Amino acid sequence: MRQTLIAAALATVLLAGCGQGNPAPSTDTAAATSPTADVVSEADTAFAALSKRFLEEGLALSPVYATGMGDHRFDAELDDLSPEGRQKAVAWAQSLLADLAKIDAAQLSRENQVDAAILRNQLEYGLWDEAVLQRWAWDPQSYSSLAGGAIYSLMAREFAPMPERLVSATARMEKLPALLAQARANLDPARVPKTHAETVARQNRGVLSLLDTFILPNAGQLEGEQRARLDAAVATVRAAVEEHQKWLDETLVPNAAGDFRIGAEKYDQQLKFALNSSLSRQEIRQRAEAELARVRDEMYTVARGVLKDRAGAPETPESPSEAQRQAAIEAALELAYAEKPGRTEVVDFAKHTLDVATQFVREKDLVTVPNDPVKIILMPEFQRGFSVAYCDSPGPLDKGLDTYYAISPIPDDWTDAQVDSFLREYNNYMIHVLSIHEAMPGHYLEGVHSAEHPSTLRAVLRSGPFAEGWAVYTERMVADAGYMDNSPLFRLTQLKFYARAVANAILDQGVHVDNWSKEQAMDLMVRQTFQQEREAEGKWVRAQLSSTQLATYFVGAQEHFDAREAAKAKWGEAFSLKDYNNRMLSYGAPPVRFARQLMLDEPIR
């Protein structure tokens, strides 16, 4: 997972595991391009025009997001988050919603009914965020993510010759001081939570590492006036970042007094928009608590087998007490923790696990495996502090470029005890699970398949719960297929990782709705789901920094499992796992309920 700033025009943060030349984006809708579409209605024609307007005008209002999507018309521009810029975006979104309301959804093709529902939800989410949640006033991450992304999105992939990208980066660097000034003008320290302020204060100078990593080593490819302008822009950015750092350290952090909890009313509203799921908060909580109990029982069953006849092992009766269950699972996990990479070996071992997972998925023929490249990289510094790893796919309009499986390195200033805690959590077995989730057949494979869907609108507004849910779904699918020769320690670790996803949904509500203390959160993570102290501490911070995103893993996975069971029931003996997986991925990552409705010919709702 990584955090990216979606269109400033929508003023909302979209969190998803994977994101997706120079021409303007295609505006073909699925109805207009599908070989099965016999007739294109007037409603479809009107919606195609509206989609074109959304893509052309919306991406123009959010140049950094446009670059990430692979639309390079605005590579020299930067988002405007001033009050005037945000008001322009609000008027634009209101106008699109009004025009969308004039289209009779019942007359649209099924594919366009889905796209229309996605578009309406996104526009309404943006307006709600601007007027109600008002993230622009209290979340400094929105600005730091945009500042780093402005450079990273241009330089990380070779979508154009380096000199051309350097010229665009120069123009953006010249505009970065204005963006940071907008942050200082918009943010109200009294509303900014302390954790948000401290996190961004630590991340801020990460923008400078992008200059040293991407800009300066290639600066020699520009000459004359262009080189002089680049050098001046670099100096301008350095000064602006230091000015901003001074404000963060001396004004924002000392005076940050906001509450990171958004409360039940706003949480329910955001949950509806962000997940676009049929499950309510109450249903999510009930299913998550029941699933956690089931997973702990399954972990105990596996632990009994691991510990059988092992000297010094705790008792493992068939009907254990809660204390006996806890002790057995912890003892079995200790055997997995003992097999861990060295401090500097994490990335190399991740490469090995990616090779193993890819070969396994091919051999078991679980899903069609593309040949697009995937590379393991160190996570850029400006994006560290939010997650251990993420998958970064090229935008849907950029073809044939690398996908990155980014891993955060262990910080140099960590003590030996902190490093040991981290590596116990991310032991050899856990890194196998992580590579399945982030790359194969998780986020990377899903991103490649989804990018083939003809609707550019759907690609730009791809569903986070679909992507994260798919990644969690594949962990169990691969384990069920016998990964690592049915190793019980791998299965135990996979169940632990899944328990984390289940706990995420409970934690998210506990923190933002039920006013959980840190002690309550740590009990859920450390005792009930067996996370290491260091991992749990990081998740506690993450739960404060975001709301509803932590629920996407569990909710998306539940919807994926539900959809597969529905397909099995409908298709009977004709059901094929590979066919099902390929078909699910063919819909372009809409909210899972829409993919299910399209696949099983259910009403779109």
Side-chain angles (χ1 to χ4, degrees):
M1 187 284 307
R2 68 186 176 92
Q3 187 180 49
T4 54
L5 189 75
I6 202 170
L10 303 181
T12 184
V13 174
L14 175 68
L15 293 120
C18 261
Q20 290 292 317
N22 296 328
S26 165
T27 55
D28 291 340
T29 63
T33 58
S34 170
T36 61
D38 297 323
V39 178
V40 178
S41 68
E42 290 185 7
D44 287 319
T45 300
F47 184 70
L50 191 66
S51 298
K52 177 179 180 180
R53 180 183 166 198
F54 173 83
L55 291 166
E56 291 188 347
E57 298 176 0
L59 292 177
L61 286 167
S62 184
V64 175
Y65 190 72
T67 300
M69 289 293 98
D71 179 359
H72 299 292
R73 294 175 295 161
F74 317 107
D75 284 354
E77 304 303 321
L78 202 57
D79 302 40
D80 180 4
L81 299 187
S82 67
E84 296 77 18
R86 298 197 320 275
Q87 185 53 47
K88 179 180 179 182
V90 165
W92 169 81
Q94 291 171 335
S95 174
L96 257 70
L97 272 174
D99 288 346
L100 182 60
K102 298 174 184 176
I103 299 174
D104 184 356
Q107 301 304 312
L108 292 171
S109 70
R110 285 171 58 80
E111 290 280 357
N112 279 342
Q113 286 179 30
V114 168
D115 280 4
I118 293 171
L119 178 58
R120 181 180 301 106
N121 179 79
Q122 190 62 42
L123 291 168
E124 291 175 347
Y125 186 12
L127 292 172
W128 175 83
D129 188 285
E130 171 71 19
V132 179
L133 193 60
Q134 297 185 344
R135 202 189 318 258
W136 52 269
W138 58 263
D139 187 0
Q141 297 175 105
S142 300
Y143 304 92
S144 63
S145 178
L146 185 61
I151 300 173
Y152 181 78
S153 61
L154 287 173
M155 305 305 296
R157 289 187 175 85
E158 297 180 4
F159 59 81
M162 177 59 74
E164 180 180 328
R165 289 183 285 137
L166 285 171
V167 169
S168 296
T170 298
R172 280 190 174 169
M173 287 189 291
E174 292 170 340
K175 298 177 178 68
L176 273 177
L179 173 67
L180 298 179
Q182 289 170 1
R184 296 192 293 272
N186 290 344
L187 292 168
D188 178 1
R191 297 180 62 185
V192 175
K194 180 71 74 173
T195 301
H196 291 64
E198 292 173 344
T199 298
V200 169
R202 289 193 300 270
Q203 292 176 334
N204 180 58
R205 287 195 177 99
V207 174
L208 301 181
S209 72
L210 294 175
L211 305 182
D212 297 331
T213 301
F214 292 111
I215 302 296
L216 296 182
N218 297 294
Q221 297 189 40
L222 294 184
E223 298 177 348
E225 182 180 344
Q226 289 182 334
R227 174 59 192 270
R229 184 180 168 191
L230 181 144
D231 290 341
V234 168
T236 296
V237 169
R238 291 193 187 281
V241 167
E242 291 305 323
E243 178 186 5
H244 196 59
Q245 188 70 49
K246 179 178 175 65
W247 178 80
L248 292 170
D249 293 338
E250 298 180 4
T251 300
L252 187 62
V253 172
N255 296 291
D259 187 354
F260 58 82
R261 297 176 174 87
I262 66 172
E265 182 178 1
K266 289 180 181 178
Y267 187 92
D268 286 346
Q269 293 170 342
Q270 187 179 16
L271 192 72
K272 169 182 172 290
F273 289 125
L275 271 63
N276 205 349
S277 167
S278 59
L279 297 177
S280 68
R281 168 168 56 91
Q282 293 79 8
E283 289 170 325
I284 293 169
R285 184 66 169 267
Q286 291 168 1
R287 290 183 69 156
E289 290 178 344
E291 186 71 343
L292 180 57
R294 185 196 69 77
V295 171
R296 283 176 57 87
D297 285 342
E298 187 174 351
M299 292 180 74
Y300 178 71
T301 299
V302 176
R304 290 185 74 199
V306 170
L307 299 175
K308 184 179 180 181
D309 300 327
R310 184 174 291 272
E315 294 182 3
T316 56
E318 185 172 344
S319 299
S321 67
E322 182 58 34
Q324 288 172 323
R325 178 186 289 106
Q326 187 76 16
I329 296 173
E330 289 177 353
L333 284 170
E334 284 294 331
L335 301 176
Y337 299 157
E339 300 182 40
K340 57 184 184 289
R343 178 172 187 152
T344 62
E345 297 172 353
V346 174
V347 173
D348 285 341
F349 191 74
K351 292 178 180 178
H352 164 71
T353 61
L354 177 57
D355 291 340
V356 173
T358 301
Q359 181 179 352
F360 180 85
V361 173
R362 289 185 189 276
E363 288 178 351
K364 294 295 183 178
D365 206 23
L366 299 176
V367 61
T368 298
V369 178
N371 293 318
D372 299 58
V374 58
K375 291 183 178 180
I376 295 178
I377 65 169
L378 293 180
M379 187 182 296
E381 185 176 346
F382 81 98
Q383 291 178 325
R384 296 175 194 171
F386 198 80
S387 62
V388 172
Y390 63 75
C391 171
D392 179 13
S393 294
L397 305 175
D398 276 329
K399 304 299 182 182
L401 301 182
D402 291 337
T403 293
Y404 296 139
Y405 169 17
I407 298 177
S408 180
I410 297 175
D412 293 335
D413 60 355
W414 275 17
T415 65
D416 290 343
Q418 290 173 322
V419 172
D420 183 67
S421 175
F422 176 86
L423 292 177
R424 280 165 57 83
E425 183 73 18
Y426 290 95
N427 56 73
N428 291 358
Y429 296 103
M430 185 62 85
I431 294 176
H432 274 280
V433 178
L434 195 64
S435 291
I436 291 167
H437 178 103
E438 297 292 349
M440 178 60 66
H443 285 311
Y444 151 69
L445 185 142
E446 180 270 319
V448 174
H449 275 267
S450 296
E452 297 301 315
H453 192 273
S455 170
T456 305
L457 179 78
R458 194 176 301 178
V460 169
L461 299 179
R462 66 197 306 270
S463 165
F466 184 102
E468 294 295 357
W470 169 263
V472 175
Y473 161 84
T474 62
E475 298 162 21
R476 186 192 301 180
M477 177 182 70
V478 168
D480 289 344
Y483 189 76
M484 293 188 71
D485 297 322
N486 291 305
S487 163
L489 287 179
F490 171 77
R491 171 64 85 168
L492 188 65
T493 304
Q494 179 265 314
L495 287 169
K496 171 185 165 173
F497 197 62
Y498 176 55
R500 279 176 28 173
V502 178
N504 282 347
I506 300 172
L507 175 67
D508 199 46
Q509 292 190 27
V511 168
H512 289 285
V513 176
D514 300 327
N515 297 317
W516 272 14
S517 66
K518 180 179 180 180
E519 289 70 28
Q520 288 174 291
M522 295 297 283
D523 179 76
L524 172 68
M525 293 184 283
V526 176
R527 184 183 65 83
Q528 297 183 51
T529 56
F530 309 98
Q531 298 174 48
Q532 292 295 301
E533 193 81 20
R534 196 71 196 171
E535 173 69 18
E537 287 280 356
K539 188 65 64 65
W540 167 245
V541 171
R542 180 172 170 183
Q544 297 174 63
L545 293 175
S546 67
S547 53
T548 73
Q549 194 278 330
L550 281 172
T552 60
Y553 306 89
F554 176 72
V555 172
Q558 290 294 295
E559 292 184 315
H560 274 293
F561 287 125
D562 289 350
R564 188 176 69 179
E565 291 308 304
K568 284 182 178 180
K570 183 166 186 175
W571 299 342
E573 294 183 359
F575 178 86
S576 158
L577 181 59
K578 180 180 182 180
D579 177 57
Y580 169 82
N581 288 333
N582 283 342
R583 290 176 68 176
M584 175 58 71
L585 295 180
S586 72
Y587 295 109
V592 183
R593 63 191 176 102
F594 291 140
R596 168 179 170 166
Q597 291 160 8
L598 289 169
M599 181 188 299
L600 302 182
D601 199 28
E602 298 172 349
I604 304 299
R605 58 179 184 273

